[in-house]
């Protein structure tokens, strides 16, 4: 089983700050997805990354896939309270989620 | 274009009863996945099904849990003789395919099971 670690586990910041969360694997991803889950709801797909070194942007969110395809990061610029949620990375190889980073953005 | 639908949204069962959770995938999707989420935890994979076939059930408990995805109708996750430890949110996801970008999964709103 491919181990999937996310860090930090919890993150609490003020509105307007920048942040980065990470997803690391013990082996190579074939592809990786990032989801956000809000309380009481199902996860919502944010992005899929496939190619090593790939960078994708979604408004204030920037996703990077490591060159070796064993790690990924999610950077949020000027965080807003609406960004609050659980950010999950997902490994398509074995249908496993990381434990997630629980982000709180305070107004 | 309706998304993944799950019902009921909330289900309360007494210990020993059966729980049946339903999932209707997005239109055109023939792959269904079930996950369980305990309070304040991440999602744990349970089972992956295609129409009339179980592809991967490596995350399913060996006893009391079963899943099906018939040719017609929704996918069903069935829990027999529920115990308090079964209390959790159960999420269903569907995808168009199991290869490439068509593997992207879309989630339903979940069923919150409470066992009293």
């Amino acid at each position: 089983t491919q181990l999937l670690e996310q860090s930090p586990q919890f993150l609490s910041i003020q509105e307007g700050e920048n942040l980065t969360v990470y997803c690391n694997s013990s082996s190579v991803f074939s592809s990786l997805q990032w989801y956000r889950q809000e309380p009481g709801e199902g996860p919502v797909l944010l992005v899929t990354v496939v190619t090593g070194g790939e960078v994708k942007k979604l408004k204030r969110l920037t996703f990077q896939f490591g060159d070796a395809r064993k790690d990924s990061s999610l950077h949020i610029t000027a965080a807003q309270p609406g960004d609050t949620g659980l950010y999950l990375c997902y490994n398509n190889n074995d249908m496993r989620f990381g434990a997630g980073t629980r982000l709180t953005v305070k107004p | 274009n309706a998304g993944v639908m799950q019902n009921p949204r909330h289900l309360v069962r007494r210990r020993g009863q059966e729980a049946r959770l339903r999932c209707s995938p997005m239109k055109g999707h023939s792959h269904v996945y079930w996950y369980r989420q305990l309070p304040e935890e991440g999602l744990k994979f349970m089972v992956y099904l295609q129409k009339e076939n179980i592809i991967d059930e490596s995350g399913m408990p060996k006893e009391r849990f079963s899943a099906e995805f018939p040719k017609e109708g929704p996918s069903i996750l069935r829990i027999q003789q529920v115990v308090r430890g079964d209390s959790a949110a159960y999420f269903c996801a569907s995808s168009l395919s199991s290869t490439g970008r068509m593997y992207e999964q879309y989630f339903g709103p979940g069923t919150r099971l409470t066992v009293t």
Side-chain angles (χ1 to χ4, degrees):
Chain A
T1 300
Q2 188 171 2
L3 294 177
L4 209 58
E5 293 186 357
Q6 288 192 246
S7 61
Q9 188 176 357
F10 298 95
L11 187 58
S12 180
I13 61 171
Q14 292 295 133
E15 182 176 3
E17 293 183 359
N18 301 332
L19 66 111
T20 303
V21 299
Y22 301 91
C23 177
N24 296 289
S25 170
S26 56
S27 51
V28 174
F29 292 105
S30 58
S31 63
L32 179 143
Q33 292 164 349
W34 283 94
Y35 288 83
R36 181 172 68 208
Q37 184 181 26
E38 298 185 24
E41 301 294 332
V44 175
L45 178 65
L46 296 174
V47 77
T48 299
V49 287
V50 178
T51 306
E54 187 174 5
V55 177
K56 285 191 171 180
K57 294 197 174 189
L58 183 67
K59 297 183 180 178
R60 293 177 294 100
L61 279 60
T62 301
F63 302 86
Q64 288 192 304
F65 201 18
D67 290 340
R69 289 165 48 223
K70 294 179 69 175
D71 59 273
S72 181
S73 64
L74 159 58
H75 181 79
I76 302 179
T77 303
Q80 299 175 1
D83 296 326
T84 293
L86 178 65
Y87 288 81
L88 297 156
C89 62
Y90 179 81
N91 171 20
N92 283 350
N93 284 355
D94 57 8
M95 292 178 283
R96 297 293 188 264
F97 279 94
T101 292
R102 200 167 293 276
L103 172 66
T104 302
V105 181
K106 300 174 185 176
Chain B
N1 184 16
V4 177
M5 299 177 69
Q6 290 188 248
N7 67 81
R9 291 293 307 272
H10 300 273
L11 182 61
V12 180
R13 285 287 179 265
R14 286 196 293 271
R15 278 180 298 169
Q17 291 185 319
E18 179 180 286
R20 290 171 70 87
L21 288 61
R22 295 174 185 78
C23 169
S24 296
M26 283 181 69
K27 187 176 181 180
H29 287 192
S30 60
H31 300 253
V32 165
Y33 313 78
W34 286 94
Y35 297 83
R36 177 165 62 178
Q37 187 174 36
L38 295 171
E40 303 302 315
E41 293 190 9
L43 287 91
K44 297 287 193 286
F45 167 76
M46 298 181 75
V47 62
Y48 162 36
L49 310 102
Q50 291 182 36
K51 286 282 188 181
E52 299 184 278
N53 289 303
I54 296 175
I55 307 302
D56 183 344
E57 56 181 349
S58 57
M60 286 277 271
K62 293 287 186 285
E63 298 176 351
R64 302 188 297 108
F65 285 72
S66 62
E68 63 177 10
F69 189 16
K71 187 177 180 181
E72 301 291 338
S75 176
I76 306 286
L77 179 67
R78 183 181 176 205
I79 311 172
Q80 296 177 290
Q81 298 176 331
V82 295
V83 300
R84 288 225 171 99
D86 297 332
S87 295
Y90 292 83
F91 291 96
C92 165
S94 72
S95 68
L96 190 58
S97 175
S98 61
T99 58
R101 290 186 186 277
M102 291 185 289
Y103 197 154
E104 293 176 344
Q105 295 182 30
Y106 296 87
F107 281 79
T111 293
R112 274 141 194 88
L113 172 65
T114 301
V115 179
T116 61

